[in-house]
Amino acid sequence: MPTLILVRHGRSTANTEGLLAGWTPGVALDERGAAQAAALPGRLAGLPLSEIVTSPLQRCQETVRPLLDARPDLRAHTDERIGECHYGDWSGRKLAELRDEPLMEVVQAHPSAAAFPGGESMRAMQTRAAEAVREWNARVERDHGPDAVYLMCSHGDIIKSLVAEALGLHLDLFQRISVEPCSVTAIRYTRLRPFLVRLGDTGDFASLAPREEPSGDEAPVGGGAGAP
């Protein structure tokens, strides 16, 4: 079965403003995110990509645009199932404010029980994304063969949930996974099991350096802004 390259969108204006974007329209890449997207074709130059699938949200569409410009033989397919989690009433709110919400503790420690008011549950988010991957795996294998490589551009929580699913981890453990903006995660699927062969690879170690403000023990909902 194919190898899936998961790319989180580049850093967005919501990331730098500390907002939980969700499906809020008009959230674009910031200057750094645009530079990250521009570097993506070079980072992936050695991969014979057969298909590109992207979330419908603007920040993902902008992330894959340089890659599509560099490879005019490819076109992007849009799939809403790999769009961001529907955070409902939380969408567009400051992450700093959301830390005081009782639900945030559930999101951090017991996400399989978390459902966002006016939005969806984290279980539903993972299920729809995993179903999309299975269907695209079958389609890519049918059209391009079992050794094909294809790319999905999606969002932090979606990618983390897919990694957890591939590793056989309960969703309650997915907050232990971190994927930075424009990072590359790769999962090789086989008939019996998936293999995680890259996780959150940015080619940059800046995010490992100590920060002025420690990140603490909470996982950033939505994925965080990455290295400063």
Side-chain angles (χ1 to χ4, degrees):
M1 295 177 70
T3 296
L4 169 60
I5 307 299
L6 288 161
V7 174
R8 185 183 167 201
H9 62 79
R11 196 174 74 176
S12 72
T13 53
N15 293 145
T16 48
E17 292 169 9
L19 300 175
L20 185 62
W23 284 69
T24 304
V27 177
L29 298 182
D30 67 5
E31 185 175 354
R32 178 171 182 166
Q36 290 170 332
L40 196 58
R43 292 170 61 199
L44 301 178
L47 291 178
L49 298 176
S50 58
E51 302 279 1
I52 293 178
V53 187
T54 180
S55 156
L57 295 173
Q58 180 179 339
R59 51 198 183 272
C60 287
Q61 301 279 334
E62 290 180 354
T63 298
V64 299
R65 190 168 298 149
L67 185 58
L68 292 167
D69 289 344
R71 302 197 188 194
D73 54 317
L74 290 175
R75 68 182 183 90
H77 307 272
T78 299
D79 194 324
E80 291 195 357
R81 295 173 297 176
I82 63 167
E84 181 63 284
C85 185
H86 291 276
Y87 296 117
D89 297 344
W90 280 26
S91 298
R93 292 182 59 187
K94 289 268 188 188
L95 287 164
E97 297 173 0
L98 292 171
R99 290 195 184 99
D100 296 328
E101 294 280 353
L103 178 60
M104 181 59 85
E105 186 177 9
V106 181
V107 170
Q108 291 292 322
H110 191 18
S112 66
F116 295 97
E120 70 178 334
S121 69
M122 302 199 93
R123 293 190 317 278
M125 173 200 73
Q126 182 186 46
T127 297
R128 64 172 163 85
E131 287 177 350
V133 167
R134 290 187 184 95
E135 289 183 20
W136 278 101
N137 281 348
R139 177 173 173 175
V140 169
E141 181 173 8
R142 180 196 68 204
D143 294 345
H144 303 284
D147 297 322
V149 179
Y150 75 107
L151 181 146
M152 280 186 170
C153 184
S154 188
H155 307 265
D157 282 349
I158 295 287
I159 294 172
K160 288 163 56 177
S161 74
L162 290 171
V163 169
E165 201 262 352
L167 291 175
L169 293 178
H170 196 281
L171 185 60
D172 286 344
L173 300 178
F174 101 124
Q175 297 289 27
R176 302 183 183 195
I177 298 165
S178 176
V179 289
E180 292 202 357
C182 224
S183 62
V184 173
T185 295
I187 302 172
R188 181 171 295 126
Y189 288 88
T190 73
R191 185 175 64 87
L192 297 180
R193 63 183 67 85
F195 293 90
L196 178 66
V197 292
R198 290 288 189 282
L199 176 61
D201 187 349
T202 63
D204 181 357
F205 296 109
S207 64
L208 302 180
R211 302 187 185 186
E212 291 183 8
E213 296 184 5
S215 56
D217 58 3
E218 286 192 351
V221 181

